[in-house]
Amino acid sequence: MAFDYQYSLWGLKEGSVEWLRAKHEVHNQFAYRLQELCFHSGGIYIKLGQHIGQLEYIVPQEYVQTMRASMLKRCPVSSCDQVRSVFVKELGATREKFDPIPLASASLAQVHAAKTHDGEKSLCKGSTHSLDGYCHCRYCYCGFGSEFLALVLSCF
């Protein structure tokens, strides 16, 4: 990443119109790559992308705009069976019948319309996958990743 920035700005006078244009293009290119990486990795990495979208005081605007435009609108959807299996694993049983199409999806969970066994309407928010042992490890990586990204981008 740092090499690409250096290469793209090579020979351009810092602060010149050409340098600013090239820097803007490289920021956009890497913001898009980071966005795709977050979506590909899923879960907590989408949460990291959402976090980057709120860091306008640290990261370049191209990153903030790219993350804000996508990270809240393109969250992946897990199947109802996947959510139900996590629900069963964590609570021991399901007490509800789930609508297979989620009402909303976020980085780590989604919401389904449901009915209790008594027929009462309810909502069920379930994690999109089991988070046991997953979040702590990934949270450490994301903390390191956001600090590293801020350090690298501060050079440009």
Side-chain angles (χ1 to χ4, degrees):
M1 181 176 172
F3 175 77
D4 279 348
Y5 270 94
Q6 290 290 342
Y7 180 76
S8 297
L9 301 174
W10 187 270
L12 300 176
K13 183 179 178 195
E14 187 171 343
S16 69
V17 174
E18 295 84 13
W19 184 84
L20 291 172
R21 187 177 299 124
K23 183 174 139 183
H24 174 72
E25 289 174 13
V26 174
H27 281 331
N28 276 330
Q29 177 185 2
F30 276 101
Y32 177 76
R33 285 183 185 174
L34 182 61
Q35 168 196 326
E36 291 306 309
L37 179 64
C38 289
F39 280 126
H40 178 73
S41 300
I44 196 100
Y45 293 102
I46 293 174
K47 187 63 72 182
L48 173 64
Q50 292 169 345
H51 180 65
I52 291 169
Q54 303 304 314
L55 296 176
E56 66 264 354
Y57 55 92
I58 296 177
V59 299
Q61 283 302 304
E62 294 85 352
Y63 286 83
V64 172
Q65 292 166 353
T66 299
M67 297 303 160
R68 281 186 182 173
S70 63
M71 289 292 144
L72 297 174
K73 297 177 183 171
R74 283 183 44 202
C75 290
V77 176
S78 296
S79 74
C80 186
D81 289 337
Q82 289 171 317
V83 174
R84 182 181 285 114
S85 70
V86 171
F87 195 87
V88 169
K89 179 180 176 186
E90 293 180 1
L91 298 178
T94 61
R95 6 174 290 265
E96 302 180 349
K97 294 181 181 179
F98 294 84
D99 182 344
I101 300 170
L103 298 171
S105 180
S107 56
L108 300 175
Q110 59 194 43
V111 176
H112 289 265
K115 287 187 179 182
T116 64
H117 288 297
D118 299 341
E120 191 174 327
K121 290 182 180 180
S122 67
L123 294 175
C124 183
K125 179 180 178 183
S127 61
T128 54
H129 46 72
S130 181
L131 299 176
D132 281 350
Y134 176 83
C135 280
H136 179 70
C137 177
R138 299 254 173 136
Y139 179 76
C140 292
Y141 289 136
C142 287
F144 171 76
S146 61
E147 289 177 24
F148 177 74
L149 184 63
L151 175 68
V152 168
L153 291 175
S154 69
C155 300
F156 301 99

